[in-house]
Amino acid sequence: MRHNAAMLELAILGFLHDAPLHGYELRKRIAALTGHVKPVAESTLYPAIKRLEKAGLLARRTQPGAGAAPRHMLTLTAEGQAELRRRLAHPADADITDENRWFTVLAFLRHLEEPSAQAEVLERRMAFLRQPSSFFYEGDRPLRAEEVDDPFRRGILTVARATSQAELSWLRRTLDTLRAATDG
Amino acid sequence: MRHNAAMLELAILGFLHDAPLHGYELRKRIAALTGHVKPVAESTLYPAIKRLEKAGLLARRTQPGAGAAPRHMLTLTAEGQAELRRRLAHPADADITDENRWFTVLAFLRHLEEPSAQAEVLERRMAFLRQPSSFFYEGDRPLRAEEVDDPFRRGILTVARATSQAELSWLRRTLDTLRAATDG
DNA sequence: GTGCAATACATCGTTGTCGATGTATCGTCG
DNA sequence: CGACGATACATCGACAACGATGTATTGCAC
């Protein structure tokens, strides 16, 4: 289960948790979710479906094609639902640090039932965003935007800073709500 | 030259343009640049160096190791410099749309000599950020944060919006400066 | 004096990615 | 009626990613 694979599989499991879908429709939904940033090829999606099927996480029933060729309606099995929750509750480190992958986790995090489990995941992201890290260093010291001469590198730091602040403030608001839900 | 490979190769060429380095040092710089978001394994870096060497983009000279094992000092060849500029001037679409890859382009964009060539690349990013795209759709219409119920999906849209606004304003400022440099 | 971390590079095997290509049906436009 | 695009899925081959593992040296701490 390499880098992107985890993300793609998570998206498949997540979408199928909402409703049974066939591959082609799944493909369109994934394209809408991540396609404008990082498109997924058909020849990547179908093998991924097979992997998940082989692992018993989803089942397919062939239906006469509404439009054209026969459709393979895909349904999440009980194990599939359990696996989805496991992956959402305990994402790999790269799922927390890589924005693309993190957004995929967020897109399906509502499938975790416990607000406290959701909060735990958000807290991991918060810890990552809070640690002082840069893209450029002087020795071991992370450089701030003002200390970098190159305007393009300053841009990286400026944008990263704005993103991180916006996300931290959203995380704080959302965690407050989740904690209120747990206490109440 | 698949997905990540392009980004990794660009980083190698970019760092070597500044100064000759050996693989181990290269690895540390790449880790600083992108490692906290998306780490690169040693066993990915060394084959990448070999690919570039084989393509004649860089040359190596073996030196007695300062610390330990013999170092392979890597230098960018003339073709390597030309290739770096080519990749910077004409990035693939995914280099523009994927934030990780885009940041890598930005980190080395100063190696393009012409301010007008730099401006062209920034304009491609601006065009991408300006087109109305979401992560969630109702039919074909992109949904705004306020229209989405799920708090986590709202978070995605909120954060993406803040990033995109911060970056657009930085892009406008920087493009103004670049245009002033071209006119002046 | 020996284990351990850091330096520095390499290879191997498994798995994932993706472009190219193929197959088949249906609707529609001309 | 013939081309074309959308629907719907599949296979193949080349190549990239990466964990595991290996090799070899230096220096430091215990």
Side-chain angles (χ1 to χ4, degrees):
Chain A
M1 198 197 322
R2 209 66 89 255
H3 42 305
N4 287 331
M7 191 169 103
L8 177 56
E9 291 179 9
L10 187 65
I12 295 173
L13 297 174
F15 279 125
L16 289 183
H17 190 276
D18 292 329
L21 296 171
H22 50 99
Y24 197 80
E25 177 62 26
L26 203 42
R27 191 179 169 243
K28 284 197 289 184
R29 304 229 178 164
I30 292 172
L33 183 62
T34 60
H36 63 292
V37 168
K38 198 182 189 89
V40 172
E42 267 186 293
S43 48
T44 303
L45 174 62
Y46 286 113
I49 290 175
K50 276 192 186 165
R51 278 201 304 278
L52 295 174
E53 194 193 1
K54 209 171 158 188
L57 305 183
L58 51 85
R60 74 170 76 194
R61 284 167 301 153
T62 305
Q63 282 188 341
R71 290 172 164 180
H72 296 223
M73 278 313 258
L74 305 168
T75 328
L76 211 55
T77 62
E79 300 100 284
Q81 290 188 25
E83 179 64 21
L84 171 62
R85 290 202 195 98
R86 219 172 298 136
R87 294 193 191 198
L88 287 172
H90 306 288
D93 281 343
D95 292 332
I96 301 292
T97 59
D98 183 327
E99 202 187 30
N100 293 332
R101 296 177 61 162
W102 169 243
F103 276 3
T104 307
V105 170
L106 269 189
F108 301 107
L109 197 58
R110 73 193 143 115
H111 292 319
L112 277 187
E113 268 126 49
E114 297 294 322
S116 63
Q118 295 171 334
E120 241 177 77
V121 179
L122 296 193
E123 262 151 16
R124 278 184 65 193
R125 175 73 176 176
M126 190 136 105
F128 165 68
L129 289 179
R130 277 220 262 245
Q131 73 191 356
S133 69
S134 173
F135 294 85
F136 312 107
Y137 292 82
E138 194 174 79
D140 274 345
R141 195 175 60 85
L143 292 177
R144 320 176 105 255
E146 308 82 47
E147 299 174 285
V148 175
D149 281 335
D150 175 17
F152 306 112
R153 295 194 163 190
R154 286 180 76 142
I156 295 177
L157 296 174
T158 307
V159 172
R161 185 135 220 280
T163 305
S164 146
Q165 286 187 334
E167 188 164 353
L168 278 170
S169 102
W170 172 77
L171 280 169
R172 273 188 284 267
R173 285 200 308 274
T174 307
L175 279 169
D176 282 349
T177 316
L178 287 176
R179 287 197 195 104
T182 311
D183 298 343
Chain B
M1 196 198 325
R2 208 66 90 257
H3 42 305
N4 288 332
M7 192 168 103
L8 177 57
E9 291 180 10
L10 187 65
I12 296 172
L13 297 174
F15 279 123
L16 289 183
H17 190 276
D18 292 330
L21 297 171
H22 50 100
Y24 198 81
E25 177 61 28
L26 203 42
R27 192 181 167 243
K28 284 197 288 185
R29 304 230 178 165
I30 292 172
L33 182 62
T34 60
H36 63 291
V37 169
K38 199 184 188 90
V40 172
E42 267 186 293
S43 48
T44 303
L45 173 62
Y46 287 112
I49 291 174
K50 277 193 186 164
R51 279 202 303 277
L52 295 173
E53 196 193 1
K54 210 171 156 189
L57 305 182
L58 51 86
R60 73 170 76 195
R61 284 166 303 153
T62 304
Q63 281 188 341
R71 289 173 163 179
H72 297 225
M73 280 311 261
L74 304 168
T75 329
L76 211 55
T77 62
E79 300 99 284
Q81 290 189 26
E83 179 64 21
L84 172 61
R85 289 201 197 99
R86 220 171 299 135
R87 294 192 192 199
L88 287 172
H90 305 289
D93 280 343
D95 292 332
I96 302 291
T97 59
D98 184 326
E99 203 187 29
N100 293 331
R101 297 176 61 161
W102 169 242
F103 276 4
T104 308
V105 170
L106 269 189
F108 301 106
L109 198 57
R110 72 192 144 114
H111 292 319
L112 278 187
E113 269 126 51
E114 297 294 324
S116 62
Q118 296 172 333
E120 241 175 76
V121 179
L122 295 193
E123 262 152 16
R124 277 183 66 192
R125 175 73 176 175
M126 189 137 105
F128 165 67
L129 289 179
R130 275 221 262 245
Q131 73 191 353
S133 69
S134 174
F135 294 84
F136 311 106
Y137 292 83
E138 193 173 81
D140 274 345
R141 194 175 62 86
L143 292 178
R144 321 178 105 256
E146 308 83 48
E147 300 174 286
V148 174
D149 282 335
D150 175 18
F152 307 111
R153 295 195 164 190
R154 285 180 77 141
I156 295 178
L157 295 174
T158 307
V159 172
R161 186 136 220 278
T163 305
S164 146
Q165 286 186 334
E167 187 164 352
L168 278 170
S169 102
W170 172 78
L171 280 168
R172 274 188 283 268
R173 286 198 308 275
T174 308
L175 278 169
D176 282 349
T177 317
L178 287 177
R179 287 198 195 103
T182 312
D183 298 343

